[in-house]
Amino acid sequence: MATATTYGARAHARAQEGTSAEAMPVVPASDWPAPPCEAGHLVWAETVAGGNYTHRVLARGTELRLTDLRGDACAHLLLFAADRPWERLNVADTVKVQWNAYLGEDRLLLSDQGRVLASVVADTSGRHDALCGTSTLVRNTERYGDGTPQSASPAGRELFKLAAAKNGLTARDLPPSLSFFQGVEVRDDGALDFTGSAGPGASVTLRAEQDVTVLLANVPHPADPRADYTSTPLEVLAWRAEATPPGDPLWEASPEGRRAFLNTAEFLAARGIA
């Protein structure tokens, strides 16, 4: 066969240059056909297939837009302070400090240090979840027959492990995650109702308020009742922008949020960053 020798394998590999797949990163990001920002500011452009993952380190102020292209994406998200991975997204504090279990525009994604890692600056979906986390190997094996990363039904936590390893992190570093585009609602009796998605084209935009490491797994929500493993492509675009400044309505939306922004500003100022 053509790839049986080193020369043949090299020729085959080089022949793929310039070809593209439906789901892949665009490098450089500036080649993305319709950037949502000023020319030259796009820093990440990727389509993540269902059952796949991605990761990136983003600078403070970067805006990250996730789009559910076909209506069956579910973006499970973890955030870490880029140079201090022990400071990470704390879902419990994100819910508790803001007195709200539902994610959406003007919500803050808080760390376990009481600081803002990212803010939600736009949302056309409204179908998100801060309660259930992502899928696991055991659960996916029970539901679909397999949950390993190489299978047709990979679990979100298994994909997070791969993304974490590429950023010097281990399974012990992985806290509970948030989910965007597939939501749940809490009944009066405490049971959860799966709300599904808002349909194709819904998007959510986050703004990094510190330098952050982003881990994303695009897998079915663990409460999705469908028997088949259903996950469609997720569009990921990020561009250079500015962190939320003092006086912005987002700073003043609540006393708790203002305190989290002040904690963040004080920390960054001490480091000579802001």
Side-chain angles (χ1 to χ4, degrees):
M1 40 189 303
T3 57
T5 67
T6 303
Y7 292 114
R10 182 180 65 183
H12 174 76
R14 289 180 174 177
Q16 310 309 308
E17 184 177 12
T19 62
S20 61
E22 178 186 31
M24 62 180 292
V26 172
V27 180
S30 57
D31 285 349
W32 186 261
C37 58
E38 185 179 338
H41 282 210
L42 200 65
V43 297
W44 187 9
E46 182 171 355
T47 304
V48 183
N52 214 326
Y53 72 96
T54 189
H55 57 95
R56 191 66 58 97
V57 177
L58 297 179
R60 177 173 178 260
T62 302
E63 295 194 356
L64 170 66
R65 190 181 75 187
L66 309 175
T67 302
D68 180 1
L69 293 175
R70 298 183 189 171
D72 276 316
C74 187
H76 301 261
L77 173 76
L78 285 175
L79 296 173
F80 300 81
D83 61 345
R84 308 177 318 282
W86 53 87
E87 181 174 0
R88 64 199 67 175
L89 176 68
N90 188 305
V91 174
D93 284 355
T94 293
V95 169
K96 176 180 65 178
V97 170
Q98 298 176 96
W99 305 96
N100 197 317
Y102 299 107
L103 300 169
E105 190 170 332
D106 296 337
R107 292 282 176 254
L108 309 179
L109 307 187
L110 303 178
S111 79
D112 49 6
Q113 304 295 314
R115 296 190 278 258
V116 188
L117 289 173
S119 52
V120 182
V121 297
D123 178 23
T124 67
S125 170
R127 304 291 182 90
H128 313 307
D129 175 35
L131 301 174
C132 297
T134 193
S135 52
T136 63
L137 176 63
V138 170
R139 181 61 172 149
N140 273 32
T141 301
E142 290 175 351
R143 293 191 64 186
Y144 309 116
D146 200 348
T148 57
Q150 296 78 22
S151 71
S153 50
R157 183 165 173 81
E158 298 306 297
L159 296 180
F160 274 144
K161 289 178 184 178
L162 297 180
K166 293 179 179 180
N167 290 276
L169 305 171
T170 70
R172 294 182 62 184
D173 296 308
L174 299 177
S177 58
L178 299 173
S179 304
F180 292 98
F181 305 121
Q182 302 281 343
V184 296
E185 292 182 349
V186 183
R187 298 184 203 157
D188 291 341
D189 63 2
L192 299 178
D193 284 331
F194 180 66
T195 60
S197 81
S203 67
V204 60
T205 302
L206 312 178
R207 179 184 295 144
E209 306 292 357
Q210 301 186 46
D211 293 353
V212 292
T213 300
V214 179
L215 308 186
L216 283 166
N218 181 24
V219 299
H221 190 281
D224 191 329
R226 290 174 289 188
D228 294 334
Y229 186 95
T230 306
S231 182
T232 55
L234 171 73
E235 182 184 273
V236 180
L237 298 177
W239 56 92
R240 291 194 299 273
E242 299 293 333
T244 305
D248 187 279
L250 196 56
W251 270 63
E252 306 301 329
S254 71
E256 296 83 9
R258 182 167 60 250
R259 180 65 182 187
F261 270 116
L262 287 171
N263 289 343
T264 308
E266 180 184 45
F267 173 78
L268 295 175
R271 303 189 74 196
I273 298 174

